[in-house]
Amino acid sequence: MISLSVNVNKIALIRNSRPGNNPDLLAHVHRCIASGVHGITVHPRPDQRHIRAEDCYQISEAIDLEFNIEGNPLAGAMASGQPDVGDYPGFVKLIEDIKPAQCTLVPDSNEQLTSDHGFDLSGDNTQLKELISHFKAQGSRVSLFMDADVRQIERAATIGADRVEFYTGPYADACVHSPAAGASVFNQYKKAAEVAIANGLEVNAGHDLNLDNLGQFKHLPGLLEVSIGHAIVVDALEYGIDETLRKYLDVIAL
């Protein structure tokens, strides 16, 4: 069975655009859970423009299903040029404190609008390997955000990751152009997934997956989890959040 983990960053982003607590993030987390989703994902960043550190702690205490925290453990919380980060403790401390079921390590910089590439593991991965071991020792499954690059996937297996999460932006972009283009790019992910499985890695996927392209991508070999946030919030403007979640659950269940 493929699990749907809902990324609630965009709900927090809307909340943060005004004073107060509207929309109520925790209320929407519980609404997602009531709809039958399998997990909740957050991707805190040092500027706390959407998910804040306090949200991570509150969600962890409020839910019983899988919690996935994404972020870059190699990026400093107080990097040059960042605005006041207030009480943001850093990604590593969040994982140490919360010990989520899964932490997904992503190679984005503090300045990025959104994640747009996977790890390049062609250099020295000593620090990343040590962090993976550290997080696993605390009980968190570790997934690495990766491109559909066979050589990189093989390297991910050598540094101790449990899973890879395929960055699916290129696939989603190809699907917009034509079904044939989407199918061609999907085959690249299929080969990479087969290599991941052969090397003992489990497979997740996320980024720009939506109701139009998920039907094909769900057939990726070994796919265990999709993390979707932006598209769910966009579709909720048309269908409402409950109907939108039902549609996504129906797609992955078929």
Side-chain angles (χ1 to χ4, degrees):
M1 182 187 78
I2 301 171
S3 296
L4 172 62
S5 186
V6 177
N7 188 318
V8 295
N9 275 26
K10 287 298 167 67
I11 297 173
L13 180 68
I14 297 170
R15 176 201 62 189
N16 295 354
S17 67
R18 292 282 181 92
N21 188 41
N22 189 25
D24 185 319
L25 181 67
L26 281 180
H28 278 79
V29 165
H30 286 299
R31 193 166 181 176
C32 290
I33 295 170
S35 294
V37 306
H38 310 100
I40 298 295
T41 290
V42 296
H43 188 149
R45 288 183 167 85
D47 61 11
Q48 302 196 90
R49 63 182 180 267
H50 33 62
I51 288 295
R52 299 167 179 159
E54 65 187 61
D55 296 324
C56 298
Y57 292 105
Q58 290 172 2
I59 292 172
S60 176
E61 293 174 357
I63 68 175
D64 293 324
L65 77 174
E66 181 166 294
F67 191 27
N68 173 43
I69 303 181
E70 301 179 342
N72 189 350
L74 303 178
M78 300 295 289
S80 176
Q82 286 297 303
D84 180 9
V85 296
D87 60 355
Y88 182 71
F91 180 80
V92 173
K93 190 170 192 308
L94 281 176
I95 302 302
E96 291 173 339
D97 288 349
I98 294 172
K99 299 177 177 59
Q102 178 173 270
C103 59
T104 300
L105 310 186
V106 183
D108 55 356
S109 70
N110 292 338
E111 295 77 21
Q112 278 184 243
L113 179 63
T114 186
S115 307
D116 60 9
H117 63 280
F119 275 100
D120 178 359
L121 301 176
S122 58
D124 181 6
N125 300 304
T126 301
Q127 187 178 6
L128 185 59
K129 184 176 181 178
E130 290 174 351
L131 284 165
I132 291 171
S133 177
H134 178 58
F135 295 147
K136 290 173 66 172
Q138 296 183 106
S140 293
R141 179 173 66 241
V142 179
S143 178
L144 293 183
F145 198 64
M146 302 295 294
D147 298 314
D149 182 321
V150 168
R151 291 171 298 179
Q152 295 290 345
I153 297 302
E154 290 173 339
R155 291 173 181 138
T158 68
I159 62 173
D162 299 299
R163 293 188 182 186
V164 291
E165 178 180 326
F166 284 115
Y167 165 55
T168 49
Y171 164 75
D173 289 342
C175 288
V176 171
H177 288 92
S178 72
S184 177
V185 175
F186 174 75
N187 284 332
Q188 298 174 24
Y189 284 88
K190 182 178 178 182
K191 292 176 183 177
E194 290 169 346
V195 169
I197 294 167
N199 282 272
L201 294 166
E202 296 180 321
V203 177
N204 294 343
H207 205 91
D208 291 337
L209 293 174
N210 57 39
L211 291 172
D212 295 324
N213 59 41
L214 185 57
Q216 177 175 235
F217 205 87
K218 72 177 183 178
H219 296 294
L220 190 76
L223 183 61
L224 294 177
E225 176 187 290
V226 291
S227 175
I228 305 176
H230 180 83
I232 285 175
V233 172
V234 171
D235 288 334
L237 296 175
E238 180 173 356
Y239 303 117
I241 187 65
D242 299 316
E243 178 65 10
T244 294
L245 292 170
R246 185 192 66 77
K247 286 178 178 291
Y248 276 90
L249 289 167
D250 285 349
V251 169
I252 62 175
L254 293 175

